[in-house]
Amino acid sequence: MTIFEALKNSRTKLSNAGIESASLDASLIMSHVTGLSKVQLITHDTDVLSDETAAKFNELIDRRATGYPVAYILGYKEFWGLKLKVTEDTLIPRPDTEIIVQTAINCKVNGPILDMGTGTGAIILALKSEYRDNVEAYACDISKKALEVASENARNNSLDVNFIESDWFSNLGDMKFSLIVSNPPYIEENDPHLSKTSLPYEPITALTSGVDGLDDIRTICRDALAHLNKGAPLMVEHGYNQGRAVSAIFIENGYKNVETIKDFGGNDRVTIGYMS
């Protein structure tokens, strides 16, 4: 079977399974098993796959057809120009999370910054890649396995970040920061989306937070007050329909100049407020 034939068959299989990104995913998986770039897949499309490579490719396509995330199949995800390792112990970075990165860059802070619940390290690594020596970067997560992945991503991208195992602020002592960011769990416990797309395969503790999905955001907003320098911003990512509720939590805790920022689709995505 040639590369062209294998890709054609796999695209049909993935499309029939309801995978919207069938063509892209098939190409990514083919590149993964052959080591060929996207361009080389075109210029070598008449090459015949070995039986071993064809079998591996078909196995991974079958797995993708079940809904298993292509990022977990490949073992990495691109985010903010960085190649990040991902495992089943971490959430897969989403494009909309780049909104919180851009918002944090726009703040033009100096000094120590903190990413709460870092997962793969996507947000803090993106910020460190932009701020460089202007900030000292810290990130925490309750998951040891997630921190191992984030630390590896930092090394692979030559970025200096201090990782701390901590249940939110519990192990941060009296540390204070010029900026705190977080993409915490914010999905409602019984949200039907949990059974769709890639979410059934991702760590549930990194997805849900109480009946209304806002328990962790309440904790972060409350406890961040003791860890922010005067006038420093806190920003959190949240669901498309949670902007008003999250803004109210910020205001209830005394944050000033509270603002909700929309994502690429025009939905509420990030709320920011400043320590008074």
Side-chain angles (χ1 to χ4, degrees), residues 22-214:
S23 182
L24 174 60
D25 291 354
S27 295
L28 287 171
I29 293 170
M30 181 62 80
S31 291
H32 178 66
V33 299
T34 62
L36 298 176
S37 68
K38 183 178 180 180
V39 172
Q40 289 174 322
L41 291 181
I42 298 172
T43 59
H44 290 261
D45 66 349
T46 58
D47 288 4
V48 176
L49 295 171
S50 69
D51 291 343
E52 181 182 358
T53 301
K56 181 64 176 176
F57 176 71
N58 289 329
E59 175 192 341
L60 295 180
I61 289 296
D62 287 344
R63 197 171 194 192
R64 179 67 185 116
T66 68
Y68 191 75
V70 69
Y72 287 160
I73 291 173
L74 303 177
Y76 74 89
K77 178 73 174 179
E78 298 280 348
F79 181 85
W80 201 264
L82 303 171
K83 185 176 182 179
L84 302 178
K85 176 181 178 178
V86 295
T87 73
E88 291 184 355
D89 297 307
T90 64
L91 287 186
I92 300 167
R94 266 71 169 180
D96 280 335
T97 296
E98 293 194 349
I99 299 298
I100 199 170
V101 174
Q102 187 60 63
T103 304
I105 292 169
N106 293 343
C107 289
K108 298 179 180 178
V109 301
N110 288 286
I113 63 175
L114 172 67
D115 175 23
M116 305 288 296
T118 195
T120 61
I123 294 174
I124 196 64
L125 293 173
L127 291 178
K128 185 62 176 179
S129 74
E130 296 290 338
Y131 274 115
R132 294 290 173 178
D133 294 336
N134 290 327
V135 300
E136 186 174 2
Y138 293 85
C140 68
D141 203 292
I142 194 173
S143 168
K144 289 183 178 180
K145 291 183 177 179
L147 289 175
E148 289 172 1
V149 173
S151 297
E152 184 174 341
N153 283 329
R155 291 192 299 272
N156 290 343
N157 287 281
S158 301
L159 295 168
D160 185 18
V161 176
N162 303 286
F163 292 102
I164 303 169
E165 183 183 344
S166 182
D167 182 3
W168 300 127
F169 296 96
S170 62
N171 290 335
L172 298 184
D174 58 359
M175 296 177 69
K176 287 186 177 288
F177 302 92
S178 299
L179 165 71
I180 297 177
V181 298
S182 183
N183 177 17
Y186 55 74
I187 299 177
E188 299 173 15
E189 286 180 348
N190 297 315
D191 192 303
H193 291 92
L194 291 170
S195 62
K196 299 177 180 179
T197 62
S198 66
L199 295 184
Y201 301 95
E202 299 184 71
I204 190 68
T205 55
L207 292 169
T208 62
S209 181
V211 175
D212 64 357
L214 299 177

Side-chain angles (χ1 to χ4, degrees), residues 250-266:
F250 270 70
I251 292 169
E252 288 167 6
N253 282 278
Y255 291 90
K256 305 299 182 184
N257 301 320
V258 176
E259 178 186 5
T260 296
I261 297 161
K262 297 186 182 297
D263 61 21
F264 301 118

